[in-house]
Amino acid sequence: MLAAFDAMWTERTKAYAKADAKGTRLEKYATLDALGRIRNDLDRMKAAGTVVRGESRQEHATVTALDLTSKTPKATITTCVDLSAYEQYSTQKKAVIPLPTNQPMRYAARATLEKWPAGWMVTTYTPEGGRPC
């Protein structure tokens, strides 16, 4: 399950770098709910003419809940998001857009996953920007 989460994160990073999910394998690792949130982000980025340079990294991903006995096995992963190498970039102005001064550089995030026939899938991803890690 951690491998599926890491793969989703890698594909998400690729999509944010160009504000487009084309050419990524997000659908292999994220269900429609999780994918919908990413697509909404990408739509906002396209409308604003922004992309992400560098990357937001996730580290210390840990399985914090696991239910293998239900009809659809489920897991919760908690991770730490690190924005120290992340830049939002305006493709129109050709300039870096500074992050808000109140933006934490490290914060917790939570993902839920389900075991589907093709493997573990991320069903939700929730940044918890107010919770440090």
Side-chain angles (χ1 to χ4, degrees), residues 68-122:
L68 297 175
T69 61
S70 64
K71 183 177 178 181
T72 303
K74 296 175 180 22
T76 301
I77 292 175
T78 302
T79 190
C80 182
V81 177
D82 178 358
L83 297 181
S84 62
Y86 172 97
E87 289 183 332
Q88 194 170 23
Y89 184 78
S90 170
T91 57
Q92 297 164 347
K93 296 179 183 177
K94 309 286 188 229
V96 173
I97 302 167
L99 292 173
T101 56
N102 63 345
Q103 171 67 52
M105 289 291 107
R106 294 174 58 82
Y107 58 87
R110 185 175 18 90
T112 55
L113 292 85
E114 291 181 352
K115 176 96 187 226
W116 289 22
W120 286 95
M121 299 283 289
V122 177

Side-chain angles (χ1 to χ4, degrees), residues 5-76:
F5 177 73
D6 286 342
M8 184 278 304
W9 191 273
T10 298
E11 297 303 309
R12 177 186 171 274
T13 299
K14 290 177 191 174
Y16 281 41
K18 57 186 181 177
D20 195 335
K22 288 180 187 159
T24 69
R25 299 180 325 160
L26 277 165
E27 292 174 354
K28 181 176 179 179
Y29 305 108
T31 65
L32 287 179
D33 289 340
L35 196 54
R37 183 178 183 126
I38 293 169
R39 286 181 174 151
N40 285 340
D41 285 348
L42 295 172
D43 287 345
R44 281 192 294 276
M45 291 169 68
K46 277 184 192 175
T50 60
V51 295
V52 171
R53 294 195 323 185
E55 64 180 278
S56 58
R57 294 186 293 257
Q58 61 87 17
E59 24 183 70
H60 312 296
T62 305
V63 177
T64 52
L66 183 60
D67 176 3
L68 297 175
T69 61
S70 64
K71 183 177 178 181
T72 303
K74 296 175 180 22
T76 301

